[in-house]
Amino acid sequence: MATKHESEQPSKTSSERMANAMRESVARLDGIIQSAMDAIITVDERQDIAIFNPAAEQMFGCAVADVLSTPLEQFIPSRFREAHRAHIDRFGTTGVTTRRMGVQSEIVALRANGEEFPVEASISQASVAGRKLFTVILRDITARKRAEEAVRESAERYQRLVELVPDAICIERDDRIVFLNRACIQLLGSDSPVGVLGKSPLEFIHPDFHAVAAARRHRLASGLEINPVMDQQIVRLDGEVRDVEIAEASFYDEGSMAFLSVLRDVTDRKRGERELRESREQLRQLSASLQAVREEEKARIARELHDELGQALTGLKMDLAQLVSQLAPEQRGAIGQADAMKALIETTVASVRRIATELRPLMLDDLGLLSTIEWLVSDFSRRTGIAVELTLPKVEFELDSELSTALFRVLQESLTNVARHAGASRVRITLSATESDVQLTVDDNGKGFGASLESGPKTFGLLGMRERATILGGELAVHSNPGAGTSIVMTVPRRTGVPKAPS
């Protein structure tokens, strides 16, 4: 029969095991509390501190020995203490074991040095040995609040900046406008964002640009867009069409592909550009008309000088010769005076021919461009002593009068510039023609000039040559460098005449 001592032994062993387990559990709990990164504070029903872990010491700036059995209120700003006591009392009667404290779990705490700081807190309650204990877990969110404040201030600065920017800015996501600044509201003709937000951007893009906008969105989304700015037209809410320059970029916003657009209203500028182009075209037409009238007047004066004055001088010369034939040999004084008159008449005839030729070489109309160029080059070389290398097409070709005149005048002005300014010893002239174009090139080995002199006040000759080429739908290029000579190339479309075989 077992003794009493032997029957109690298993029970005592079980109690020891239970006690050991409890001690181990308390040790583990204490280890967790002591090593926790968040502050852990436990208070009794009077809200006196019973547990104050190292994280709480660091958070509040005081030692555990100094705060045990002291009121928790010392870590709560005075203005919140009454509300805090009421909150703990209500929580104690609910029977709920855990709860977050404060609106969105944020409350204000007080360090030992009097500094207030924000914390996130959660509270739990438990009954131990008939005593109700409340445990608060606190997390200092000062750094997070500062970061949030910095982000908020940055967002406010960004918002103010965006609102002050004169260009229209909008963001679209999922084919809907989700943001726009004041300038964009005004550009689209709305009084408030309500009239625009949530609408598709295509409602404001001119139908002619819908396909372009869609293709651009695809390129932006795939990273293939290389044109940062493009011209488009938009349609305001009131139906008015406006010209805009638009710069766009793609980015991810709230997990979706979004597009940022910056629009600049260039309607007035475009209108000004159109008016300027029209004005220039009108001036060009006026210049062409004046040049045509001037050439006609020069041709008329040249022909009158050649025909009427030339014939009159020739008749006068013949009459003088007849008078001289009637003089007696002994009338030496009269004969000498007649010879002087004859020389003066011949000089006057030469001057009339020179003036008439400079006004308008009649051979340009009678013999054509190539013969006139040969005469002009020969006369230039004879007068200036400058060697000229002339290359003309081997095949005869015909041009209308306006084009022939322009080519002749450009060559005439180029040679005049060479004689006056270039200081050249050699000039190379080339005239070539294809079925579509005629090109005149004048190269000299003179002193040349810099780019700054090309548009100076003494270059109206160059401006006139350029204008002649532009009127005919062509262009005139000038290449020159100091000490390297000058090259003038005029290229104009050929409007009439086709090459023909030489006879």
Side-chain angles (χ1 to χ4, degrees), residues 52-96:
F52 199 81
N53 74 337
E57 292 181 293
Q58 184 177 0
M59 178 182 292
F60 290 99
C62 55
V64 61
D66 297 330
V67 299
L68 286 177
S69 301
T70 62
L72 180 64
E73 286 186 348
Q74 60 187 301
F75 300 118
I76 301 173
S78 58
R79 64 185 182 278
F80 299 121
R81 290 173 182 173
E82 184 175 349
H84 173 74
R85 284 193 296 268
H87 177 78
I88 295 299
D89 291 340
R90 288 194 303 271
F91 178 67
T93 61
T94 60
V96 177

Side-chain angles (χ1 to χ4, degrees), residues 153-165:
E153 292 177 355
S154 176
E156 289 180 354
R157 287 195 297 269
Y158 167 78
Q159 182 68 29
R160 288 194 295 269
L161 176 63
V162 168
E163 291 300 332
L164 288 175
V165 170

Side-chain angles (χ1 to χ4, degrees), residues 46 54 57 75 161 185 194 246 266 316 325 349 378:
R46 295 192 307 271
E57 292 181 293
F75 300 118
L161 176 63
I185 295 172
V194 177
I246 180 169
V266 294
L316 185 60
S325 66
V349 169
S378 176

Side-chain angles (χ1 to χ4, degrees), residues 215-216 219-220 222-230 248:
R216 183 173 171 85
R219 293 194 301 272
L220 285 168
S222 58
L224 300 176
E225 180 59 47
I226 59 175
N227 297 319
V229 180
M230 69 177 300
E248 295 175 297

Side-chain angles (χ1 to χ4, degrees), residues 262-331:
V262 180
L263 301 92
R264 177 171 297 176
D265 190 344
V266 294
T267 304
D268 294 338
R269 193 191 76 188
K270 290 287 187 180
R271 184 184 300 113
E273 290 175 353
R274 287 193 294 269
E275 291 175 354
L276 181 60
R277 286 195 299 270
E278 292 172 359
S279 176
R280 286 179 175 173
E281 183 59 29
Q282 291 172 356
L283 288 175
R284 186 166 287 116
Q285 293 175 0
L286 175 60
S287 176
S289 176
L290 291 175
Q291 284 187 7
V293 170
R294 185 170 57 186
E295 290 294 339
E296 291 176 2
E297 187 66 13
K298 284 182 177 181
R300 183 186 65 80
I301 294 174
R303 194 166 294 279
E304 288 181 358
L305 286 174
H306 182 271
D307 294 345
E308 298 183 13
L309 188 55
Q311 290 177 6
L313 289 171
T314 301
L316 185 60
K317 181 179 178 182
M318 294 174 63
D319 292 341
L320 181 60
Q322 186 177 2
L323 287 175
V324 170
S325 66
Q326 296 176 4
L327 294 175
E330 60 272 12
Q331 294 178 297

Side-chain angles (χ1 to χ4, degrees), residues 207-454:
D208 292 347
F209 292 90
H210 281 188
V212 174
R216 183 173 171 85
R217 293 291 185 280
H218 177 72
R219 293 194 301 272
L220 285 168
S222 58
L224 300 176
E225 180 59 47
I226 59 175
N227 297 319
V229 180
M230 69 177 300
D231 293 338
Q232 284 189 6
Q233 286 185 326
I234 63 169
V235 182
R236 290 161 43 99
L237 290 173
D238 57 9
E240 180 185 359
V241 177
R242 307 290 292 182
D243 293 301
V244 296
E245 279 184 350
I246 180 169
E248 295 175 297
S250 62
F251 65 101
Y252 278 95
D253 183 40
E254 297 183 3
S256 299
M257 177 65 69
F259 299 96
L260 170 67
S261 301
V262 180
L263 301 92
R264 177 171 297 176
D265 190 344
V266 294
T267 304
D268 294 338
R269 193 191 76 188
K270 290 287 187 180
R271 184 184 300 113
E273 290 175 353
R274 287 193 294 269
E275 291 175 354
L276 181 60
R277 286 195 299 270
E278 292 172 359
S279 176
R280 286 179 175 173
E281 183 59 29
Q282 291 172 356
L283 288 175
R284 186 166 287 116
Q285 293 175 0
L286 175 60
S287 176
S289 176
L290 291 175
Q291 284 187 7
V293 170
R294 185 170 57 186
E295 290 294 339
E296 291 176 2
E297 187 66 13
K298 284 182 177 181
R300 183 186 65 80
I301 294 174
R303 194 166 294 279
E304 288 181 358
L305 286 174
H306 182 271
D307 294 345
E308 298 183 13
L309 188 55
Q311 290 177 6
L313 289 171
T314 301
L316 185 60
K317 181 179 178 182
M318 294 174 63
D319 292 341
L320 181 60
Q322 186 177 2
L323 287 175
V324 170
S325 66
Q326 296 176 4
L327 294 175
E330 60 272 12
Q331 294 178 297
R332 293 187 181 89
I335 293 175
Q337 187 174 3
D339 289 341
M341 292 176 63
K342 179 181 178 182
L344 179 60
I345 291 174
E346 290 176 347
T347 301
T348 304
V349 169
S351 296
V352 168
R353 288 176 179 173
R354 178 179 57 80
I355 294 172
T357 301
E358 289 179 352
L359 283 172
R360 170 81 177 185
L362 298 181
M363 66 177 65
L364 187 60
D365 299 320
D366 299 335
L367 300 179
L369 178 63
L370 300 186
S371 297
T372 306
I373 288 177
E374 289 177 339
W375 165 82
L376 177 64
V377 169
S378 176
D379 182 69
F380 169 81
S381 184
R382 176 182 58 79
R383 289 187 294 104
T384 63
I386 299 175
V388 180
E389 179 184 335
L390 177 63
T391 302
L392 297 176
K394 296 180 180 180
V395 178
E396 294 286 345
F397 66 96
E398 297 177 358
L399 299 173
D400 62 29
S401 175
E402 185 179 6
L403 184 52
S404 296
T405 300
L407 290 166
F408 172 78
R409 291 301 184 194
V410 168
L411 177 58
Q412 187 181 45
E413 181 67 28
S414 299
L415 293 177
T416 300
N417 289 339
V418 170
R420 291 179 179 176
H421 310 297
S425 61
R426 177 189 55 77
V427 179
R428 183 168 60 249
I429 301 170
T430 303
L431 179 68
S432 60
T434 65
E435 293 184 358
S436 58
D437 297 312
V438 178
Q439 187 174 86
L440 172 66
T441 303
V442 182
D443 295 317
D444 69 67
N445 64 347
K447 58 185 180 182
F449 54 85
S452 60
L453 298 179
E454 189 174 335

